[in-house]
Amino acid sequence: MPLWVLSNGLTFGNIEHFFNLMKPDEKASVCKMIVQSTNRVGSNLGYLSVDKVRVALEALVKFRNICAHDERLYCAVVGGRKQINYGRMVWHLEWFLTDAEFNEYIASLVHRLKDGIDGNEKVAAVLEPLGFTELSNQLARRWGVN
């Protein structure tokens, strides 16, 4: 069975395990393909190491599971010693998306964060100590989103 057919039936967690079981040169080829498919060749994100992909996949799978099981996303920290919170997960996600896809995600995220923080004292009281105000400000500065 061709891999492209098999991959349609894999879960996100299966993809993470599949990547981890690959030979080192195959992992490096996957990293190169990710960079090429996201049009990041020559950009500051142009080099994507196997270790970065491994850590990012682990974090993204865990955050996906948190969302899928209706757990609290805003205060989640995954990755053991890596201590990846939602804000750090956003930067890991950037490696797997094109600029246009990531910019759309960022614009939506900044808009939702600002609405939540500005529109409701209780939401702001929960999000601010967790660093969401700073994340929102960083994203707005970097992408010029208001």
Side-chain angles (χ1 to χ4, degrees):
M1 176 182 300
L3 182 60
W4 57 270
V5 173
L6 174 66
S7 67
N8 286 332
L10 295 176
T11 66
F12 201 23
N14 291 147
I15 291 170
E16 175 196 11
H17 292 301
F18 189 79
F19 180 80
N20 289 332
L21 293 172
M22 294 173 92
K23 295 177 183 174
D25 59 327
E26 293 169 340
K27 289 179 187 178
S29 293
V30 168
C31 293
K32 184 177 179 181
M33 285 185 244
I34 291 169
V35 169
Q36 291 171 342
S37 67
T38 57
N39 297 317
R40 297 199 184 276
V41 176
S43 74
N44 63 337
L45 294 174
Y47 176 73
L48 187 57
S49 70
V50 169
D51 192 50
K52 283 182 180 179
V53 171
R54 185 189 55 73
V55 170
L57 280 175
E58 178 186 350
L60 292 170
V61 166
K62 287 181 178 177
F63 273 101
R64 179 260 168 220
N65 289 341
I66 288 168
C67 293
H69 298 287
D70 293 328
E71 296 177 29
R72 292 180 298 178
L73 177 64
Y74 70 89
C75 63
V77 176
V78 301
R81 292 180 298 179
K82 300 282 186 211
Q83 293 292 296
I84 300 169
N85 61 15
Y86 185 83
R88 288 189 63 202
M89 185 273 308
V90 167
W91 305 120
H92 288 309
L93 183 61
E94 183 177 17
W95 297 327
F96 299 96
L97 301 174
T98 65
D99 280 338
E101 291 167 334
F102 191 68
N103 288 340
E104 181 180 336
Y105 173 73
I106 293 302
S108 175
L109 178 61
V110 169
H111 178 72
R112 291 176 191 275
L113 286 173
K114 288 201 175 291
D115 280 354
I117 292 169
D118 296 340
N120 186 319
E121 289 178 18
K122 291 179 182 176
V123 172
V126 170
L127 294 181
E128 285 181 25
L130 297 169
F132 275 77
T133 302
E134 180 56 30
L135 173 62
S136 177
N137 292 337
Q138 284 176 349
L139 295 173
R141 279 192 305 274
R142 183 168 173 186
W143 276 272
V145 179
N146 293 321

